[in-house]
């Protein structure tokens, strides 16, 4: 008996960086090592010793992975591993195997219940595969998710008010003397220049815009060093920490970042404000619905796991990957 295995749509949550405007730039270095040949070794048992005449290197091949008699090909598992970045090849292999076992289990159940295949397009307009449609159809038909009532939504809002506050904004100006950290002499010179500018500005703070226009190495020099409104996460951590410590009108001590040395002046701080329940009601409902759906789906999968004949991998039903 043969089963087709296509890559399931695995929901990966990626955190995206906000649009950065001024002093920032984040390095993301991801390295994926290709490990095409990964084998699951079962510990040798004392009662499974090789017969006297056998070559010492000979060992029984690992038991094939199967779901109710349908074998999951090793080739399919190897192809699936790339969707499960893991600390070591064994973990990636096990995660990929579990995902394919659960997928096969769901497809078998969908066919047994004669779930109709109704392929739907995703947000980008791509049509889901027939197998994805079957899995989705099964979950929609068999996993019942109660809708949170108004009282539950309000209780969540009241218990998590801090989550529903707009971010603070800073209006700030700065002067940058650019230097790279790996050029020690240039960085030392930048420190000296900024220290002398700080002395000048302490005596004549009204000259900030004029000095910024003349000496700042940031494009904001053309507007007297003004950075406009900045929200958290838009500048480097060192710059943001200095900004958060300033009172309106105050000039910072020299601040060092990967771009060089800055003097920062806070013009105005706009505090975050509490969003009303009505503004976030839909967001709360979607969040609670997703949470309940995940739990209910996991529970459903663990019931199927308990009823199935799964070989070649131990599946803990409760810890099975959640179905989306």
């Amino acid at each position: 008996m043969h089963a087709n295995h296509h890559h399931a749509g695995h929901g990966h949550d990626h955190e995206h960086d906000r649009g950065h405007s001024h002093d920032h730039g984040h390095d993301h270095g991801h390295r994926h090592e290709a490990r095409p040949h990964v084998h699951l070794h079962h510990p040798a048992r004392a009662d499974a010793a090789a017969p006297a005449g056998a070559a010492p290197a000979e060992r029984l091949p690992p038991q094939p992975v199967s779901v109710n008699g349908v074998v999951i090909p090793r080739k399919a598992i190897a192809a699936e591993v790339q969707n499960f970045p893991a600390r070591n090849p064994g973990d990636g292999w096990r995660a990929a195997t579990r995902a394919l076992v659960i997928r096969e289990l769901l497809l078998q159940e969908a066919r047994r219940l004669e779930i109709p295949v109704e392929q739907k397009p995703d947000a980008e307009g791509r049509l889901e595969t027939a197998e994805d449609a079957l899995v989705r159809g099964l979950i929609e038909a068999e996993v019942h998710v109660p809708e949170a009532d108004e009282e539950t939504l309000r209780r969540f809002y009241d218990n998590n008010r801090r989550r529903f506050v707009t971010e603070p904004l800073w209006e700030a100006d700065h002067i940058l003397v650019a230097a790279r950290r790996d050029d020690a002499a240039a960085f030392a010179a930048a420190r000296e220049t900024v220290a002398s500018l700080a002395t000048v500005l302490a005596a004549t703070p009204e000259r900030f815009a004029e000095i910024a226009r003349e000496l700042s190495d940031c494009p904001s020099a053309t507007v007297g060093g003004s950075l406009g409104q900045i929200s958290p996460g838009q500048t480097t951590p060192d710059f943001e920490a200095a900004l958060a410590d300033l009172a309106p009108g105050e000039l910072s001590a020299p601040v060092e970042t990967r771009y060089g040395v800055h003097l920062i002046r806070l013009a105005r701080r706009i505090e975050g404000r509490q969003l009303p329940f009505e503004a976030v009601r839909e967001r709360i409902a979607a969040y609670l619905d997703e949470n309940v759906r995940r739990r209910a789906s996991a529970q459903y999968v663990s019931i199927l796991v308990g009823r199935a004949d799964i070989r070649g991998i131990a599946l803990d039903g409760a810890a099975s990957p959640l179905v989306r």
Side-chain angles (χ1 to χ4, degrees):
M1 190 167 173
H2 176 78
N4 289 326
H5 296 285
H6 296 300
H7 161 47
H10 297 291
H12 293 301
D13 294 336
H14 294 294
E15 283 199 7
H16 292 294
D17 278 337
R18 307 165 55 87
H20 302 305
S21 56
H22 304 293
D23 265 71
H24 55 285
H26 298 285
D27 302 326
H28 296 290
H30 295 297
R31 224 174 70 212
H32 295 291
E33 293 181 20
R35 310 250 190 189
H37 303 297
V38 186
H39 299 285
L40 278 179
H41 294 304
H42 294 274
R45 292 210 321 261
D47 59 345
E58 202 177 294
R59 59 164 57 175
L60 292 170
Q63 183 185 8
V65 177
S66 66
V67 182
N68 297 324
V70 178
V71 171
I72 309 278
R74 290 177 70 79
K75 222 188 245 180
I77 299 170
E80 186 73 6
V81 166
Q82 66 184 355
N83 299 306
F84 293 91
R87 273 179 301 190
N88 62 64
D91 286 352
W93 187 266
R94 276 186 292 277
T97 305
R98 284 157 58 104
L100 290 181
V101 163
I102 287 167
R103 185 169 174 76
E104 176 59 33
L105 194 55
L106 292 169
L107 288 170
Q108 287 181 17
E109 184 66 5
R111 290 181 186 121
R112 186 183 76 79
L113 296 176
E114 298 179 350
I115 299 289
V117 176
E118 293 168 6
Q119 288 163 272
K120 290 185 179 175
D122 64 12
E124 278 87 47
R126 289 181 304 241
L127 207 60
E128 65 187 345
T129 66
E131 287 193 350
D132 282 347
L134 262 182
V135 170
R136 181 182 47 73
L138 174 71
I139 297 297
E140 285 173 2
E142 296 296 301
V143 178
H144 304 293
V145 181
E147 204 173 307
D149 60 15
E150 202 68 12
E151 190 188 338
T152 305
L153 298 179
R154 276 201 176 273
R155 192 165 56 243
F156 186 88
Y157 174 79
D158 290 335
N159 291 342
N160 297 276
R161 291 178 74 88
R162 279 191 187 164
R163 289 168 73 163
F164 307 112
V165 174
T166 61
E167 292 187 316
L169 292 172
W170 298 287
E171 279 180 15
D173 315 307
H174 84 139
I175 294 167
L176 166 68
V177 177
R180 286 166 48 147
R181 282 194 192 275
D182 57 7
D183 184 340
F187 215 88
R191 274 195 195 108
E192 272 185 38
T193 303
V194 170
S196 62
L197 289 178
T199 307
V200 171
L201 287 168
T204 53
E206 68 281 357
R207 290 189 60 202
F208 191 98
E210 171 204 333
I211 291 171
R213 265 192 285 272
E214 272 178 46
L215 299 173
S216 180
D217 293 319
C218 176
S220 64
T222 56
V223 284
S226 172
L227 292 173
Q229 290 188 344
I230 306 166
S231 57
Q234 282 194 308
T235 62
T236 64
D238 295 329
F239 193 99
E240 187 171 307
L243 199 52
D245 279 347
L246 292 175
E250 191 183 356
L251 185 69
S252 74
V255 177
E256 298 181 5
T257 72
R258 70 173 78 102
Y259 299 104
V261 187
H262 313 248
L263 284 175
I264 308 167
R265 182 178 65 181
L266 180 65
R268 185 161 77 110
R269 179 186 164 89
I270 303 160
E271 296 296 343
R273 59 185 175 80
Q274 183 71 47
L275 291 165
F277 171 73
E278 290 68 30
V280 293
R281 186 191 177 285
E282 295 311 311
R283 206 198 310 172
I284 294 171
Y287 174 79
L288 293 180
D289 178 77
E290 173 70 5
N291 260 18
V292 174
R293 189 177 302 279
R294 278 170 175 247
R295 277 206 301 274
S297 299
Q299 212 172 358
Y300 178 65
V301 166
S302 66
I303 291 166
L304 293 183
V305 167
R307 291 204 307 240
D309 175 18
I310 296 168
R311 304 190 179 195
I313 185 170
L315 268 202
D316 167 14
S320 59
L322 299 178
V323 183
R324 291 189 71 85

